Amino acid sequence: MQMVTRAATTADIPIIQRIVDAYQLSFDANEKRLGEAEAHELIEGFFEPATTLLCRQGSSIDWDSFISLHPDENRERFYLDLYFLPDCTNLDDPFSLALSIARDLHPQWRLWLGVHRKDERYREMLERRGFSILRKYWLMEVELEGIESAHLPEGLHLEELDLLDYQRRHDFWRVHQDSFSGHFGFKAREFENWSELLLRNIENMKNRVWLLSSGREPVGFVECTEELLHEETAYVAGLGVRQQFQGRGYGETLLRFAIRHEFDLGRKKLALNVDTGNESGALRLYEKVGMKPISEWHQYENLDWAQGEKSL
């Protein structure tokens, strides 16, 4: 049966929320619902403009799947998000279409895609096509009431940055790039491009960033957003400590500050995503403050994805 598609726009956010929420909640009733800020990002793209399509079977009147293909020119990598209604029987056609679009754009790039751990149908289809798990990620969460706040040791200074100020953004960029330089998949991003992405997110995500300094030396940062505010949940979009200052407890100081700050704003919970293979010890820190995984996503890759369809 022929598949019908059309480009998705911001006017389709309610449709996209319906598809994404139905997909995620079918695996776990505790999954977070998709907010408008995240839906905007899925449509507009994480980096360069995304290719976004709504799909349905020819005889259906309802859209039953959503393709969001995100190019990242700096990393020469695609990120692919596909969501399906639970009763959607056709996973292969939307997936093949997404691969075809990516192949026409940049067949030499790598392609990474995320799958909910409990989505056995999607995982089985990927493995039939030669994809395998690259990394595992957890969405972690903690109830904020009763969490011990951070004591700022003598000599440390914490300040919120004015992200509209060029010099302050540049300070943040230096600390951010240094902090994540040892992380899996990291590739340095030039300041102007990095700054453009940050400014674009401020309007939707309401990013706020605090810089931790020892004397006059910046040592780390924490970045919070409002993308899960519809769930009364604060979200830590980034937490990093510069390489030479790691292992001194600065990450815990920053995280406990964020917990206290968001609790004072009336948030009930705080959430963040973590690469379970992160060698920096981040997972141990999150568990130390009482965070627990509430969902798990697997990142898949096939280095030969652009060489054509594998025999089914």
Side-chain angles (χ1 to χ4, degrees):
M1 187 177 298
Q2 185 177 10
M3 183 177 66
V4 176
T5 67
R6 72 164 173 81
T9 70
T10 54
D12 296 310
I13 283 179
I15 299 174
I16 293 166
Q17 288 175 306
R18 175 176 62 85
I19 294 173
V20 173
D21 288 346
Y23 174 82
Q24 299 191 147
L25 294 172
S26 69
F27 301 116
D28 191 334
N30 293 319
E31 287 285 354
K32 298 298 184 185
R33 296 179 182 273
L34 185 72
E36 286 194 21
E38 291 177 280
H40 269 281
E41 191 175 38
L42 283 175
I43 294 170
E44 295 167 357
F46 303 146
F47 309 101
E48 281 73 48
T51 298
T52 54
L53 296 170
L54 290 167
C55 310
R56 61 177 171 82
Q57 299 305 302
S59 61
S60 173
I61 61 173
D62 292 325
W63 303 105
D64 60 18
S65 53
F66 172 61
I67 298 170
S68 186
L69 180 67
H70 305 263
D72 182 352
E73 187 171 348
N74 182 68
R75 296 185 177 115
E76 296 188 342
R77 189 183 303 158
F78 286 110
Y79 296 88
L80 175 59
D81 289 313
L82 266 73
Y83 297 96
F84 310 89
L85 289 180
D87 59 356
C88 176
T89 59
N90 182 10
L91 276 61
D92 284 279
D93 285 352
F95 183 75
S96 293
L97 175 58
L99 261 59
S100 176
I101 294 169
R103 189 181 299 115
D104 288 344
L105 291 171
H106 297 289
Q108 75 281 10
W109 285 12
R110 295 176 73 169
L111 176 73
W112 289 4
L113 55 96
V115 182
H116 196 287
R117 179 184 66 85
K118 295 182 180 179
D119 190 346
E120 295 181 1
R121 286 195 309 157
Y122 194 5
R123 286 155 49 87
E124 187 276 333
M125 183 193 73
L126 290 175
E127 288 163 11
R128 268 193 292 121
R129 293 168 174 259
F131 286 79
S132 58
I133 295 176
L134 184 65
R135 307 290 280 194
K136 296 180 181 180
Y137 294 86
W138 284 351
L139 176 64
M140 302 188 75
E141 184 178 78
V142 65
E143 298 273 356
L144 295 185
E145 188 170 5
I147 298 293
E148 180 184 348
S149 60
H151 169 69
L152 199 62
E154 186 176 352
L156 293 183
H157 174 64
L158 195 60
E159 64 170 323
E160 183 174 4
L161 300 183
D162 177 1
L163 297 178
L164 299 181
D165 181 278
Y166 181 92
Q167 185 57 53
R168 298 275 71 190
R169 283 201 311 279
H170 196 276
D171 294 339
F172 178 28
W173 168 75
R174 287 178 53 245
V175 175
H176 180 280
Q177 297 289 280
D178 185 349
S179 298
F180 291 124
S181 60
H183 284 210
F184 174 79
F186 175 83
K187 184 178 179 182
R189 195 176 291 273
E190 294 296 328
F191 171 70
E192 293 303 331
N193 177 242
W194 181 92
S195 179
E196 178 185 346
L197 294 174
L198 176 66
L199 290 173
R200 192 178 73 191
N201 283 335
I202 289 174
E203 182 176 355
N204 283 336
M205 303 294 187
K206 304 295 188 295
N207 304 51
R208 299 180 70 179
V209 174
W210 289 265
L211 193 67
L212 182 68
S213 299
S214 176
R216 295 187 176 182
E217 187 71 27
V219 299
F221 77 94
V222 62
E223 178 181 13
C224 298
T225 74
E226 295 184 0
E227 59 195 87
L228 292 178
L229 194 57
H230 58 288
E231 297 270 5
E232 295 187 288
T233 300
Y235 184 73
V236 173
L239 174 67
V241 175
R242 292 172 58 192
Q243 297 294 314
Q244 71 186 90
F245 296 105
Q246 291 180 6
R248 305 186 190 184
Y250 294 149
E252 182 175 350
T253 296
L254 285 160
L255 182 55
R256 290 194 182 277
F257 163 77
I259 288 172
R260 182 75 244 178
H261 178 269
E262 296 298 332
F263 176 73
D264 289 344
L265 290 177
R267 320 300 191 222
K268 303 298 184 185
K269 301 176 182 180
L270 182 137
L272 51 74
N273 280 285
V274 61
D275 176 353
T276 62
N278 188 329
E279 296 83 2
S280 71
L283 183 55
R284 292 191 299 274
L285 167 60
Y286 304 150
E287 291 174 333
K288 181 179 180 180
V289 302
M291 304 195 78
K292 299 182 183 303
I294 61 172
S295 66
E296 180 175 315
W297 288 76
H298 294 173
Q299 194 169 70
Y300 275 76
E301 182 180 47
N302 175 0
L303 293 175
D304 296 322
W305 70 270
Q307 302 308 310
E309 300 288 339
K310 185 175 180 178
S311 299
L312 303 178

